[in-house]
């Protein structure tokens, strides 16, 4: 187990550069499987989830190598179509490899995928989409076995918007015969990045970022390189760090257009921000306002991934706030630890009621999932005394160098193995 120790009480101050986006990099890595050749992903974050995906690709037979922060994936001799169980169950996103394998080889096997413990997180939309494109899927001894004589483009309406299922459908349709017309698609920025990547390798994808996406199947793809964009969730987390410590930070490369709803909430809390020469100056010195309702929604609504960091900030606000979680049913796990640190939070189903307190106390708490763990680190930065967040490795699934970044901003944070 890994822990991180944080000494609270210092307003953050300084400049920070944002790592490449986890949620953009993962589906792009999966999509690389479609091509019998080379894909280079620049500015790829070296985080646990990316390293998991890298291991899966290597086990499938890809040649994988890093040069600095550039990840080179050579899938020309990739031949295995069974996604190793030990990785599949640790990372939910691995399901989207199934469509890539079906597209390239006409078959693929996977154990039901895992991921962060934030609800039931079924994969029914993924499977019904694959079936609609012509895959047959059987479950055998807990393993999903998919095969096809060839995927065929067709119209498919998602019964519910899903980021992963939309990305999965786009990847599956790239080499399918004919035209795939997807409706009720998710519109998250990572879907646009995936479409740009796919088009850059020779695919034909139109409409990403709207709720209808059209993919014309192509026969072949080519080598390509792609620049991973900065991570919008890490950006939001660091803005929360500025707010909770009443600090002032500069984000060197902010994906500002990808954070509309979050910046709205940040403003309501009293946070101020300004873009100067492409950098975001975020002033959290007055970010102690309570917010009557923060509601998580699909993009461009407020991201569920920033709900826990915002909960940490609101626990020190002047007044009462209310958060409603609409995306995942079990995403308030962090509340118990925040309460342990002195926060006043009451959970009722998908609603969290927060009565701002004057002070949080540093103590020993445990991360239960990625974003909740990040929220505890933020709480620790503002708390009186020292906080030890156990299970720091869960935070490292998504944050490449959070402890170094905190130190660079004048905070005190040290990871330790136990
Ligand atoms: C992605 C992000 C995650 C983010 C989430 C919502 C990645 C790697 N992860 O996760 O950080 O929190 O989007 O923005 O990009 N659902 C079903 N059936 C399915 C698939 C999903 O019912 O087959 C449900 C989920 O349980 C959830 C909702 O749909 O309630 C949205 O999930 P989805 O958008 O698919 O999230 P992920 O792609 O898993």
């Amino acid at each position: 187990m890994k822990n991180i120790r944080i000494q609270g009480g210092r307003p953050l101050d300084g400049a920070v550069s944002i790592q490449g986006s986890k949620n953009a990099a993962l589906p792009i890595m999966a999509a690389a499987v479609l091509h019998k050749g080379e894909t280079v992903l620049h500015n790829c974050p070296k985080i646990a989830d990316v390293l998991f995906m890298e291991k899966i690709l290597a086990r499938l037979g890809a040649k994988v190598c890093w040069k600095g922060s550039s990840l080179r994936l050579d899938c020309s001799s990739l031949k295995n179509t069974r996604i190793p169980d030990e990785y599949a169950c640790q990372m939910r996103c691995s399901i989207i490899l199934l469509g890539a394998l079906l597209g390239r080889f006409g078959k693929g096997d996977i154990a039901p995928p895992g991921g962060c413990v934030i609800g039931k997180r079924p994969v029914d939309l993924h499977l019904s989409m694959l079936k609609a494109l012509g895959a047959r899927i059987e479950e055998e001894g807990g393993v999903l076995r998919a095969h096809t004589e060839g995927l065929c483009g067709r119209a498919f309406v998602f019964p519910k918007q899903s980021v992963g299922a939309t990305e999965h459908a786009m990847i599956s349709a790239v080499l399918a015969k004919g035209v795939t017309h997807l409706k009720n698609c998710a519109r998250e920025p990572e879907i646009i990045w995936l479409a740009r990547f796919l088009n850059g390798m020779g695919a034909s994808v139109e409409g990403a970022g709207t709720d209808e996406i059209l993919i014309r199947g192509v026969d072949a793809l080519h080598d390509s390189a792609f620049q991973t964009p900065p991570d919008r969730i890490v950006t939001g987390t660091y803005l929360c760090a500025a707010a909770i410590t009443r600090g002032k930070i500069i984000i060197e490369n902010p994906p500002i257009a990808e954070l509309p709803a979050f910046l709205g909430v940040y403003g309501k809390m009293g946070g101020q921000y300004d873009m100067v020469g492409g950098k975001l100056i975020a002033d959290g010195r007055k970010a102690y306002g309570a917010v009557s309702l923060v509601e998580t929604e699909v993009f461009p609504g407020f991201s569920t991934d920033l709900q826990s960091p915002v909960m940490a900030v609101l626990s020190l606000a002047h007044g009462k706030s209310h958060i409603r979680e609409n995306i995942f049913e079990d995403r308030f796990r962090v509340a118990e630890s925040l309460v342990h640190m002195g926060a006043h939070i009451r959970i009722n189903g998908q609603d969290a009621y927060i009565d701002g307190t004057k002070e949080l106390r540093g103590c020993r708490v445990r991360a239960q999932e990625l974003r909740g763990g990040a929220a505890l680190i933020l709480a620790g930065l503002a708390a009186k005394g020292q906080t030890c967040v156990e299970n720091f490795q869960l935070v490292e699934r998504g944050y490449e160098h959070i402890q170094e970044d905190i130190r660079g901003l004048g905070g005190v944070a040290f990871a330790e193995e136990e």
Side-chain angles (χ1 to χ4, degrees):
M1 187 170 73
K2 228 172 164 181
N3 301 335
I4 182 165
R5 283 186 187 278
I6 306 121
Q7 185 66 42
R10 294 192 188 190
L12 295 191
D13 180 14
V16 65
S17 176
I18 301 295
Q19 68 180 70
S21 160
K22 164 176 101 65
N23 289 355
L26 290 172
I28 290 174
M29 289 174 76
V33 166
L34 289 168
H35 172 49
K36 200 173 176 197
E38 213 173 78
T39 299
V40 180
L41 202 46
H42 297 300
N43 192 36
C44 187
K46 260 190 201 162
I47 48 176
D49 276 13
V50 164
L51 302 177
F52 272 139
M53 184 63 101
E54 179 196 326
K55 285 195 183 120
I56 298 177
L57 296 179
R59 286 279 289 276
L60 294 179
K63 291 194 192 94
V64 186
C65 91
W66 286 89
K67 220 180 201 170
S69 63
S70 296
L71 175 64
R72 189 175 294 271
L73 300 167
D74 180 352
C75 293
S76 42
S77 51
L78 188 144
K79 52 189 176 311
N80 302 331
T81 56
R82 169 75 187 259
I83 297 153
D85 296 1
E86 63 270 35
Y87 297 122
C89 66
Q90 288 192 56
M91 195 174 61
R92 180 185 161 73
C93 179
S94 53
I95 185 79
I96 68 176
L97 280 162
L98 206 53
L101 290 169
L102 280 166
R104 172 135 172 223
F105 300 105
K107 60 180 181 169
D109 296 345
I110 186 172
C116 273
V117 205
I118 51 173
K120 292 197 284 292
R121 303 190 85 176
V123 290
D124 54 320
L125 301 173
H126 295 255
L127 302 185
S128 52
M129 173 280 298
L130 287 176
K131 285 178 189 163
L133 296 188
R136 283 193 300 280
I137 302 174
E138 287 122 33
E139 193 171 346
E140 221 181 276
V143 174
L144 298 171
R145 296 189 187 286
H147 51 104
T148 178
E149 257 67 81
L151 296 178
C152 284
R154 57 162 282 184
F156 181 77
V157 185
F158 289 101
K160 175 181 182 178
Q161 289 193 354
S162 154
V163 180
T166 301
E167 293 167 342
H168 197 177
M170 290 159 70
I171 292 171
S172 308
V174 162
L175 294 174
K177 276 211 159 30
V179 179
T180 302
H181 188 173
L182 304 172
K183 292 187 184 172
N184 197 27
C185 299
R187 294 177 288 162
E188 267 64 4
E190 294 74 23
I191 290 167
I192 304 178
W193 293 114
L194 176 63
R196 286 192 192 157
F197 165 75
L198 292 171
N199 288 338
M201 81 195 300
S204 169
V205 182
E206 264 174 45
T210 73
D211 59 0
E212 285 194 35
I213 302 179
L214 207 67
I215 303 120
R216 292 183 182 81
V218 296
D219 294 330
L221 299 166
H222 53 74
D223 291 355
S224 67
F226 193 76
Q227 183 76 18
T228 315
D231 194 304
R232 65 189 170 107
I233 307 303
V234 173
T235 307
T237 306
Y238 289 176
L239 291 179
C240 286
I244 200 167
T245 61
R246 317 294 184 228
K248 191 174 175 190
I249 65 170
I250 298 169
I251 307 265
E252 306 272 10
N253 52 341
I256 183 127
E258 300 184 358
L259 288 162
F262 172 81
L263 289 173
V265 169
Y266 191 70
K268 282 184 189 162
M269 294 191 298
Q272 292 172 345
Y273 58 90
D274 203 5
M275 282 296 287
V276 180
K279 300 181 183 187
L280 180 71
I281 320 267
D283 185 346
R285 285 176 297 183
K286 292 187 181 150
Y288 41 69
V291 183
S292 53
L293 182 62
V294 180
E295 199 161 359
T296 64
E297 280 166 291
V298 294
F299 192 83
F302 184 87
S303 167
T304 175
D305 288 339
L306 286 167
Q307 183 259 101
S308 298
V310 161
M311 179 183 275
V313 181
L314 291 177
S315 66
L316 280 169
H318 296 179
K320 294 183 198 300
S321 304
H322 173 193
I323 298 179
R324 174 164 291 165
E325 172 59 56
N326 291 312
I327 308 294
F328 293 112
E329 68 272 22
D330 193 15
R331 218 171 194 180
F332 285 141
R333 287 176 163 225
V334 71
E336 198 182 332
S337 301
L338 290 173
V339 167
H340 193 54
M341 294 177 77
H344 300 148
I345 304 171
R346 185 171 62 83
I347 304 295
N348 183 11
Q350 64 185 100
D351 294 293
Y353 300 94
I354 306 151
D355 196 355
T357 182
K358 283 213 168 58
E359 189 176 275
L360 293 176
R361 294 180 300 273
C363 58
R364 204 173 173 94
V365 283
R366 177 178 287 241
Q368 302 198 53
E369 40 87 22
L370 165 60
R371 306 299 172 192
L376 291 176
I377 293 176
L378 302 188
L381 286 171
K384 195 159 189 249
Q386 201 179 78
T387 297
C388 174
V389 181
E390 296 175 350
N391 270 348
F392 177 56
Q393 71 278 3
L394 291 180
V395 179
E396 289 183 309
R397 291 182 71 141
Y399 295 84
E400 193 174 11
H401 20 59
I402 192 166
Q403 51 161 329
E404 293 83 354
D405 288 343
I406 290 171
R407 291 206 294 266
L409 292 169
V412 183
F414 290 97
E416 60 187 24
E417 302 272 353
E418 202 168 74

